[in-house]
Amino acid sequence: MSELFDAVDALVASRSPLPPPAERKRLRQAHGLTLDEVAAALQVRRATVSGWEAGKTEPRPPERDAYARLLKQLAQLYPASNAAAPPKDTSAPETPATPTPAPAPAAPAPSAGVHPAPEAAPGSAAPRPTGSAAVPRPAAATTRQSSTSRRPGTKKAAPANPPATDADPRFANGPLLVIDADDGSQVTGYGIGGLVLDVPAKSLPALVEWTLKEARLGAARLHGSGKDADPLLVLTEAACERYGLPVALSDAERLAGRLPDGHKVLRQLDRADWQLTRRGFGPWARIYRPAQGRQRQCVQLCIPSWDALDARTWGHAAQLEPAELARVLGTYAARVMTPRGSTAVTGLELMTALNPPTRASEADETGKRHKEHRPGSLGEHPIDCAPCEAPDGHPLLAGLPRFHQRGPAEMLFEEAYDWARELTDAECMRRYLVGIDVNLAFGAAANGAVVGLATPPVHVTDPVFDPTLPGAWLVDLSHVDLSRVLVGKQWRRLDSALLPSPFTPTGEHPEGPAWYATPTVAYAVELGYDVVPTEAWVREDNGRFLDGWYKRLRDAYVDTMADLGVGEKLRPSDFLKAMDGYKQGDPEMAIVLDAIKSTVKGGIGKLRERARGGGWKPGQPWPALSRPTWRPDIRAAVISRARINMHRKLLNLAAATGQYPVAVLSDCAVYAADGPSPLHVLPYDADDKTVPGSFRLGVSPGMVKHEGTQTTLWAEAVREKHGQVLNLARYIKTGEVTAKDDGE
């Protein structure tokens, strides 16, 4: 009988009544609870509670019953009739309420011309954005202390919330400003949280001076041994005209990536003793003076009209109004870091910001501290890669004959999947082809990856394979038979002709010895086969360098998805519904999401940046080689893990259901199915459980979402038209097929 009572209690709990979302927030704030405190008590994420209060998602058992119980008790303490007092600010982590309120940050200097938002009305919160909260959307109008004419067509920023502040008063106005100008003499800076500043600077050197002395811009370091982020100024077209810069670069300037040395603005900076980095004055310019002690003097400029915000990663961000652009870049800065260039550059810089190469030593006999290597980092000096890890043209390969083509036994070639096959007769009888895509696949592969750190690789002959030792191994894996593999603890028979090989990007079976990264060789052992390497380049100084990088980007991704109405712990069917048109609800947050995804992929790619123009010739070094973060071995390890993770999922699904992919492209797999939904591919049971170790629908990195669906007739038409086996995963999303399969 007790089991029946328990079942009844669980059924009642699954429909526990909840107050409206706004009331949930009021009750929490009335008791002085933060989102983090509620999330910790319910054992969920902060973004999950925020989604409940925003009405974007609803709690499910067992959290729903506990959440309803909390709200019921709070409603008894704080009836709705007593809700006249302004609620406590809980948009950022904070300490419990005390009788004496904390002092507000000092007001900006009068010349900064700060125009804060009106005070919050009773019953409304005054949020303080943090690294885990989106910058509030500015409203459509604002009230300034003095009326000024504005450029026609420009929206006025409406700070519906107070200016965003950092915990550090030095950065009270946030990490960045979008600088705009009107037809008169008024220059305005738009910050995060609806902040609006009057900018008094009449020239670019004066703008830099004002930024460092009065604007209170920047962001605190992400690691105690790191550096604070420099303030970022984003110049609109009108601001470029106001400060003597071209609205667009000429063809020659665009090819050079910078203004010519004799430009008048560069002369102004030189007369004011400001310097530029070796990259010059380009779309992402850095203007600085040598640091005085610990005080850095550096400002970064971003010029969208010079293509600083690449449409491939930032979408239509360059066309946004200033206040909207400030929201997009401000949210990205809070969740990832202040942009340092392209998303790829920022992804690479984030690695160093979270894991600095040096730290302060213990005080010596004179009491002074010195800079020393920080264990667990890549160090501050570049190290040589192994010859097999070097890309074509590297100085290590200068002695090779001209036009020599290295094969698998000479070159480590760990790349993402690009594999496809023809449909079987049985698959042609099915009506649909369904694509499923792994969320943040390279980020998930970086999590837990053991990579070499600050010492060069060591060459070993006839080594015993060690799966815990990162490096490159020369080994013959052609004996691994995919028709008979170890899945879990059981040997299983599979149709190897319908699966790609896990050992090559093309999915073709290896034919002899080849260089592989450690995760690839370890997977051969996992499948039940012995491996006998003949030589290796191994890294004995190693660690999980990318774990912190993954965690920050993972949280940024999940929090942004929550802003778009897609929360964690949704049932598969609910997740698919939430993903239907999820980017349309908040196009600005959709831009942030795409930028975060590009940061992951671009950051990994930058680890092996190739030579680009500038008169470079094969055998000569190129600038990227001077970076400690030029690490092709780390890139190879992450891509190897991503490809192996994908193959493991394909294998487990095939072993359990007999379903095989017809195409795989990087993190997307295509299956033939009887229906158009991923639920027609993935076998979920009544308890929302699917094949262990295979694909799972959800928002977290490593889980999958619906990429797209096309008909089998579409696939046959593509094959007949092009006369070849194209990778259908490349076109499954839109169904549009180019004349040539040019790659990703």
Side-chain angles (χ1 to χ4, degrees):
M1 183 65 68
S2 61
E3 294 180 357
L4 294 177
F5 288 165
D6 291 342
V8 170
D9 291 343
L11 184 61
V12 173
S14 69
R15 298 294 187 272
S16 298
L18 296 173
E23 178 68 2
R24 304 170 195 174
K25 183 175 182 179
R26 183 193 72 78
L27 292 171
R28 173 179 60 79
Q29 293 174 337
H31 200 61
L33 298 175
T34 66
L35 288 170
D36 293 299
E37 289 171 335
V38 175
L42 299 177
Q43 299 182 1
V44 297
R45 288 175 48 80
R46 181 183 190 276
T48 302
V49 180
S50 178
W52 296 345
E53 292 187 352
K56 296 179 178 179
T57 58
E58 289 293 319
R60 297 176 55 214
E63 293 85 5
R64 184 184 180 97
D65 187 34
Y67 189 48
R69 183 183 182 89
L70 169 67
L71 295 176
K72 181 178 180 181
Q73 294 181 12
L74 293 178
Q76 294 173 353
L77 294 174
Y78 308 99
S81 59
N82 297 331
K88 183 177 179 182
D89 172 13
T90 56
S91 63
E94 55 190 352
T95 56
T98 58
T100 304
S111 60
V114 179
H115 300 296
E119 293 183 0
S124 62
R128 295 177 302 175
T130 67
S132 60
V135 174
R137 181 193 295 275
T142 186
T143 301
R144 304 178 65 94
Q145 293 180 353
S146 61
S147 60
T148 57
S149 61
R150 300 194 59 81
R151 186 160 48 92
T154 301
K155 291 184 180 179
K156 297 181 180 180
N161 304 287
T165 60
D166 194 283
D168 191 327
R170 296 174 300 159
F171 312 128
N173 288 330
L176 57 88
L177 281 181
V178 178
I179 307 297
D180 194 26
D182 59 20
D183 294 334
S185 60
Q186 181 65 45
V187 179
T188 306
Y190 296 87
I192 63 176
L195 175 69
V196 180
L197 300 180
D198 284 334
V199 180
K202 304 299 183 184
S203 66
L204 192 61
L207 177 63
V208 176
E209 293 274 6
W210 173 83
T211 300
L212 293 174
K213 293 181 178 179
E214 301 181 47
R216 297 199 299 171
L217 294 174
R221 64 194 67 185
L222 298 178
H223 188 281
S225 297
K227 300 176 182 177
D228 296 331
D230 297 319
L232 173 65
L233 300 179
V234 184
L235 304 184
T236 66
E237 294 183 9
C240 288
E241 293 177 344
R242 177 66 181 81
Y243 291 116
L245 295 169
V247 171
L249 297 177
S250 66
D251 291 341
E253 292 166 346
R254 189 169 60 254
L255 288 174
R258 57 199 292 172
L259 289 179
D261 292 338
H263 194 277
K264 63 179 182 179
V265 172
L266 304 189
R267 295 198 300 268
Q268 292 175 3
L269 293 170
D270 185 60
R271 286 195 297 268
D273 294 327
W274 289 107
Q275 302 178 32
L276 297 167
T277 60
R278 287 183 297 176
R279 296 179 64 181
F281 200 114
W284 291 91
R286 301 189 71 80
I287 303 172
Y288 73 98
R289 286 176 182 152
Q292 297 178 355
R294 288 186 173 183
Q295 188 65 37
R296 286 172 59 84
Q297 300 185 82
C298 183
V299 173
Q300 179 162 302
L301 301 184
C302 167
I303 307 179
S305 62
W306 294 8
D307 296 328
L309 301 177
D310 192 329
R312 292 172 296 180
T313 55
W314 286 103
H316 65 284
Q319 283 74 50
L320 293 175
E321 295 294 340
E324 297 168 343
L325 181 57
R327 178 179 182 243
V328 167
L329 295 178
T331 302
Y332 179 88
R335 292 180 174 171
V336 181
M337 69 179 296
T338 304
R340 296 289 302 273
S342 67
T343 51
V345 169
T346 303
L348 199 67
E349 293 287 341
L350 182 62
M351 296 179 192
T352 303
L354 292 169
N355 208 329
T358 60
R359 67 182 181 186
S361 67
E362 296 293 332
D364 59 18
E365 57 275 7
T366 66
K368 292 185 178 180
R369 296 179 183 271
H370 306 277
K371 186 171 65 173
E372 67 178 12
H373 171 70
R374 218 186 121 262
S377 73
L378 299 185
E380 59 179 336
H381 303 293
I383 61 174
D384 288 335
C385 62
C388 62
E389 297 166 346
D392 291 336
H394 192 279
L396 286 176
L397 309 176
L400 290 178
R402 191 178 183 186
F403 305 121
H404 175 74
Q405 296 292 324
R406 293 186 295 162
E410 300 172 276
M411 179 182 182
L412 178 67
F413 192 65
E414 294 284 9
E415 298 294 340
Y417 266 131
D418 188 352
W419 169 86
R421 62 172 175 82
E422 292 187 356
L423 275 66
T424 65
D425 291 343
E427 290 167 341
C428 289
M429 297 300 294
R430 294 189 165 186
R431 187 173 179 181
Y432 296 100
L433 294 179
V434 180
I436 52 178
D437 181 78
V438 181
N439 303 321
L440 233 58
F442 294 108
N447 185 35
V450 178
V451 299
L453 296 176
T455 58
V458 176
H459 185 251
V460 184
T461 56
D462 297 324
V464 176
F465 176 66
D466 183 352
T468 67
L469 199 58
W473 308 78
L474 182 61
V475 58
D476 189 349
L477 298 181
S478 60
H479 65 291
V480 178
D481 183 6
L482 290 182
S483 64
R484 183 177 180 272
V485 294
L486 200 60
V487 179
K489 296 182 179 181
Q490 295 183 338
W491 287 94
R492 301 294 298 269
R493 289 284 183 182
L494 299 172
D495 190 340
S496 60
L498 302 181
L499 277 174
S501 168
F503 309 126
T504 63
T506 61
E508 297 178 359
H509 197 71
E511 297 179 352
W515 285 100
Y516 301 101
T518 297
T520 303
V521 185
Y523 188 56
V525 177
E526 179 184 327
L527 294 177
Y529 291 86
D530 295 329
V531 295
V532 184
T534 56
E535 61 178 300
W537 290 90
V538 297
R539 289 173 164 80
E540 299 172 351
D541 176 25
N542 56 69
R544 295 169 61 158
F545 171 73
L546 294 172
D547 277 10
W549 182 82
Y550 161 76
K551 184 179 185 304
R552 186 165 180 86
L553 289 167
R554 186 261 182 207
D555 290 347
Y557 176 81
V558 172
D559 288 344
T560 307
M561 289 294 288
D563 288 340
L564 292 167
V566 186
E568 295 185 279
K569 297 185 179 180
L570 294 176
R571 298 188 61 187
S573 57
D574 294 337
F575 170 74
L576 292 174
K577 291 178 182 178
M579 288 293 293
D580 186 15
Y582 70 106
K583 290 186 177 182
Q584 300 171 7
D586 192 340
E588 293 168 18
M589 284 301 101
I591 294 175
V592 176
L593 181 72
D594 289 341
I596 292 170
K597 292 192 290 187
S598 296
T599 302
V600 174
K601 187 173 291 187
I604 296 299
K606 272 282 184 179
L607 291 167
R608 197 191 69 164
E609 184 178 358
R610 305 292 293 272
R612 295 182 298 176
W616 173 82
K617 295 181 180 179
Q620 296 178 345
W622 57 91
L625 300 185
S626 62
R627 295 193 319 246
T629 50
W630 192 84
R631 293 295 299 270
D633 58 299
I634 297 179
R635 175 186 179 273
V638 172
I639 294 179
S640 168
R641 282 173 59 92
R643 195 181 67 247
I644 294 306
N645 288 345
M646 174 64 84
H647 192 275
R648 186 180 291 112
K649 296 176 191 298
L650 301 172
L651 191 73
N652 286 327
L653 185 61
T657 68
Q659 296 186 93
Y660 293 85
V662 300
V664 183
L665 181 66
S666 186
D667 48 10
C668 175
V670 175
Y671 283 87
D674 294 324
S677 168
L679 294 176
H680 293 104
V681 175
L682 307 181
Y684 278 91
D685 59 20
D687 296 326
D688 293 335
K689 294 182 179 179
T690 186
V691 177
S694 184
F695 301 102
R696 293 175 55 211
L697 289 166
V699 74
S700 296
M703 300 177 77
V704 298
K705 60 181 180 293
H706 185 202
E707 178 69 3
T709 295
Q710 303 296 330
T711 65
T712 307
L713 292 178
W714 165 84
E716 287 301 303
V718 168
R719 185 183 64 80
E720 292 179 4
K721 179 178 179 180
H722 296 276
Q724 56 181 314
V725 180
L726 297 185
N727 193 326
L728 299 178
R730 180 170 287 116
Y731 315 109
I732 194 71
K733 188 170 188 177
T734 64
E736 298 178 3
V737 182
T738 57
K740 183 179 179 181
D741 195 354
D742 292 323
E744 195 175 23

